[in-house]
Amino acid sequence: MTTRTERPGYPGIVLAMLLVVYTFNFLDRQILGILAKPIQASLNLDDAQFGAIGGTAFAILYSVLGVPLALAADRWGKTRVIAGSLVVWSGFTALCGTAVGFWQLFLYRLGVGTGEAGGAAPSYALIADYFPVERRAKALAIYSMGIPIGLGLGVLLGAYIAQNVNWQTAFIVMGVAGIIVAPLFLLVVRDRYPPIVAVKGAPSPLSVMPIVMRKPAYWLLSVGAGCSSMAGYGLALWAPKIIAVQFGWTAHDQLIKVGQFMGALLLIGGSVGIFLGGVVSDRLGKIDRAWYCRVPAIAWLITAPMFILGFNTSQPVLAWVILLIPNALNTLWLGPIITATQHLGPSRMRAGTSGTFLLINNLLGLGLGPWLMGALSVSLKAKYGDQSLAVGAMIGVCLYLVAAVLAFLAIKPLKRGWIEEGDDVPTPPPSQITGSILLMAALVVWIVALVLFPIWPVRIVAGLLTIAGLVMLVRPGRAVA
């Protein structure tokens, strides 16, 4: 008898439900950006503090917990982890509406990050289970359309609710809506394959980390995507405020106008870019795997100058048309690069492979991007006044050029490190697993030292963790066959 998970069309239903959940993921993130002005005024926060709340607070636990939750999804079931995570992050989103100060809102955003850590990597793995490799980049691109849809709805709905009620109500409404969706997702979506059963003597699920981290392609693609995400997440938080100042839409009753401008950009540009990235990469990737790197690299080269041009255009309509181009191109990397990184590890560890990639990408992108643009704004305030945030953003978007260079450099290493569907690799020794964990811990401590506690003891700890991690990761050891 044919099961529901084998019926024709069911993979499409799974993809649609994952898209809905991912939309809530980014809706709950983006709502903070459109509410920047009223929140900063209400809680008396400067740009650097708000950048820390919008990025670093979210990224710390979001990035760190992404790997263990991805591994838990492989072991206990992907759909359970995704649904449970949706409840957690939606609940903390609602609590953000009750915050009365910096540290309270910071802690609630930590909670949002904790929940969202269990969303993306298991979803990537579930898509890989239901869609063959030749259709996977397109499927991942459709799933990734939750980013522009969530970002667009976040600014539109957040602006309407905040202008007509208050910013607190906007958080509460979005959070409660996500909690309602969770049981529906769990009812409809099922894992295609049973979870990996833990048996005595089985390799640790953490063994995927040194498998991918010993490959140059992993670092080039992860750091490249991380640089792109630094610019992208920074703009996601700060672009509404930049646009408001650029066109004089700073009054409270003009918040909806800013939301409409940004919402249309994100919905149209982001959706087109992500979808095209998946379709083009699927077709060209069959010919040459290098296109999984070339497509995003070319897009990033165009993105940076177009953002700078748009932020220097005084006419709203013309600026919107110009900014539509980079808003499409800066998300084009998602389908091809995620597809490529999933083939740096064995197929039986897809969720763990995705989680390991997302750890680097999100620590850099979320942990540093919003804070960096806010810190640049504060440092440039004396010279540029109200334009300091726009100048900081124009400096920040140059990270897209760095991302492009790293993607081009990843072409040959990707071909060497590619693991075919169904192929397996020897399990690495425990020392290399420990080294991988130490390196991840070092990156977290470096970001904490840079953003929250810029003192020498923290930097020394970060340096020691980095050295120890590198030594243990790169030294040879007898792998377990």
Side-chain angles (χ1 to χ4, degrees):
M1 182 175 179
T2 303
T3 64
R4 173 169 57 174
T5 56
E6 295 172 342
R7 290 173 185 168
Y10 184 71
I13 296 174
V14 172
L15 186 59
M17 290 302 299
L18 290 172
L19 173 61
V20 171
V21 173
Y22 205 40
T23 296
F24 273 96
N25 187 305
F26 275 84
L27 188 153
D28 291 344
R29 298 187 204 184
Q30 180 59 27
I31 191 175
L32 198 69
I34 192 63
L35 301 177
K37 191 173 184 295
I39 292 175
Q40 286 184 272
S42 176
L43 304 184
N44 194 27
L45 306 174
D46 63 25
D47 287 348
Q49 288 176 310
F50 191 71
I53 289 172
T56 311
F58 182 91
I60 291 174
L61 291 182
Y62 176 73
S63 303
V64 171
L65 293 178
V67 171
L69 285 174
L71 299 172
D74 279 335
R75 183 63 58 87
W76 298 323
K78 302 176 183 69
T79 55
R80 294 176 183 175
V81 171
I82 294 168
S85 299
L86 175 58
V87 171
V88 173
W89 89 60
S90 297
F92 276 104
T93 296
L95 284 174
C96 288
T98 68
V100 294
F102 170 79
W103 283 109
Q104 191 175 13
L105 185 56
F106 188 94
L107 291 173
Y108 287 153
R109 292 295 292 177
L110 278 176
V112 175
T114 300
E116 293 196 13
S123 298
Y124 291 155
L126 200 60
I127 290 169
D129 288 343
Y130 276 102
F131 293 88
V133 64
E134 64 272 12
R135 296 170 53 205
R136 196 169 298 155
K138 180 179 178 180
L140 285 166
I142 293 172
Y143 167 72
S144 298
M145 287 175 68
I147 298 175
I149 295 172
L151 294 177
L153 290 178
V155 296
L156 286 170
L157 296 177
Y160 275 98
I161 297 172
Q163 182 168 316
N164 292 296
V165 189
N166 53 51
W167 65 266
Q168 292 90 343
T169 302
F171 279 111
I172 294 171
V173 169
M174 300 302 180
V176 171
I179 293 173
I180 293 172
V181 169
L184 177 62
F185 174 84
L186 201 56
L187 180 67
V188 173
V189 180
R190 294 286 183 270
D191 288 351
R192 186 176 187 186
Y193 304 115
I196 298 172
V197 179
V199 297
K200 187 176 181 179
S204 166
L206 290 171
S207 60
V208 71
M209 294 178 67
I211 291 173
V212 298
M213 291 175 66
R214 286 170 63 87
K215 296 182 178 182
Y218 166 78
W219 292 102
L220 290 167
L221 292 177
S222 296
V223 176
C227 289
S228 171
S229 295
M230 284 175 66
Y233 282 124
L235 291 173
L237 184 69
W238 292 117
K241 189 174 181 180
I242 293 171
I243 293 300
V245 172
Q246 184 174 351
F247 302 123
W249 299 338
T250 55
H252 181 71
D253 60 0
Q254 292 178 309
L255 192 60
I256 291 178
K257 186 179 291 187
V258 178
Q260 291 171 337
F261 185 98
M262 289 301 307
L265 270 181
L266 294 166
L267 281 169
I268 299 173
S271 298
V272 170
I274 289 174
F275 184 77
L276 285 179
V279 172
V280 171
S281 298
D282 268 343
R283 292 183 179 179
L284 296 179
K286 295 177 184 177
I287 303 170
D288 185 353
R289 288 174 187 147
W291 285 106
Y292 287 113
C293 298
R294 289 189 188 124
V295 169
I298 293 169
W300 283 328
L301 287 176
I302 301 171
T303 296
M306 294 304 295
F307 267 125
I308 294 172
L309 180 61
F311 287 145
N312 283 282
T313 302
S314 58
Q315 296 297 321
V317 175
L318 180 58
W320 187 92
V321 172
I322 293 172
L323 290 172
L324 186 66
I325 298 171
N327 270 281
L329 295 177
N330 74 340
T331 55
L332 194 138
W333 66 270
L334 287 154
I337 287 188
I338 292 170
T339 298
T341 54
Q342 284 195 333
H343 281 272
L344 294 175
S347 57
R348 63 186 172 87
M349 295 180 173
R350 285 187 181 123
T353 302
S354 298
T356 305
F357 163 74
L358 289 172
L359 178 58
I360 299 291
N361 179 62
N362 290 322
L363 275 175
L364 294 177
L366 279 166
L368 294 179
W371 168 82
L372 178 62
M373 287 190 183
L376 285 171
S377 173
V378 171
S379 65
L380 296 169
K381 192 77 172 179
K383 183 175 182 179
Y384 293 100
D386 290 342
Q387 296 299 320
S388 63
L389 188 56
V391 176
M394 285 186 279
I395 295 172
V397 298
C398 294
L399 287 165
Y400 286 119
L401 303 179
V402 178
V405 172
L406 293 175
F408 280 125
L409 292 175
I411 291 175
K412 290 184 178 179
L414 175 64
K415 292 181 177 181
R416 291 195 303 266
W418 188 280
I419 297 176
E420 294 293 347
E421 199 82 11
D423 288 353
D424 214 338
V425 296
T427 302
S431 62
Q432 293 179 2
I433 298 174
T434 302
S436 302
I437 295 172
L438 290 177
L439 274 182
M440 295 297 100
L443 183 55
V444 174
V445 178
W446 276 118
I447 290 174
V448 170
L450 183 63
V451 179
L452 298 176
F453 303 108
I455 55 178
W456 278 109
V458 181
R459 294 171 184 169
I460 291 172
V461 171
L464 292 174
L465 287 172
T466 303
I467 294 170
L470 285 172
V471 169
M472 298 184 75
L473 178 65
V474 301
R475 73 178 183 180
R478 177 177 292 181
V480 180

